[in-house]
Amino acid sequence: MTEMNKQSRNMSKIKRVSQLVTQEFTEMSQELELQRGLRQHAEDVAHQLMHKATQEQGSDVDLELRRALEQVSIIGTALRDIQRHYQDQVSEGAMNVGGGVK
């Protein structure tokens, strides 16, 4: 009888250990799935942030280009004003020289 009791106790212990291992495996599997889900979510958020940053950089470039075009326009206007002023001076000088020769 004692041999049977020992075997019975050993079987009970093995069964209990098996249950604990199964429970731990199940918990670890659930934890793994949770971590996978969180990782996927983090990757999605990172992708969205990268996309947003790329768009903002693009809009920054657009803004810089618009500012550069505005500056080119201002410089073009200033150059035309300078050219007109210079032509006016040349015309006045030619009139003065031409008027003195007559």
Side-chain angles (χ1 to χ4, degrees), residues 33-48:
E33 287 303 313
L34 176 63
Q35 288 179 2
R36 283 182 179 163
L38 291 173
R39 178 179 174 204
Q40 183 63 45
H41 179 71
E43 288 176 355
D44 292 344
V45 169
H47 180 72
Q48 290 172 353

Side-chain angles (χ1 to χ4, degrees), residues 18-35:
S18 176
Q19 289 172 341
L20 291 172
V21 168
T22 302
Q23 181 182 355
E24 187 173 346
F25 176 78
T26 302
E27 290 171 0
M28 290 176 74
S29 295
Q30 291 172 345
E31 179 69 23
L32 177 63
E33 287 303 313
L34 176 63
Q35 288 179 2

Side-chain angles (χ1 to χ4, degrees), residues 4-5 19 22 36 43 83-84 102:
M4 281 295 264
N5 286 341
Q19 289 172 341
T22 302
R36 283 182 179 163
E43 288 176 355
Q83 186 178 20
R84 277 191 219 114
K102 285 186 182 178

Side-chain angles (χ1 to χ4, degrees), residues 2 34 37 55 57 65 73 77 83:
T2 59
L34 176 63
Q55 286 180 332
Q57 286 177 350
L65 287 173
S73 176
T77 301
Q83 186 178 20

Side-chain angles (χ1 to χ4, degrees), residues 59-102:
S59 65
D60 288 347
V61 169
D62 289 345
L63 180 61
E64 288 179 34
L65 287 173
R66 275 186 258 129
R67 286 180 181 164
L69 287 173
E70 288 173 8
Q71 289 176 352
V72 166
S73 176
I74 291 169
I75 291 170
T77 301
L79 286 173
R80 283 190 294 277
D81 290 346
I82 291 170
Q83 186 178 20
R84 277 191 219 114
H85 180 72
Y86 177 74
Q87 286 176 345
D88 289 347
Q89 284 183 342
V90 169
S91 295
E92 287 176 15
M95 283 189 207
N96 288 339
V97 171
V101 172
K102 285 186 182 178

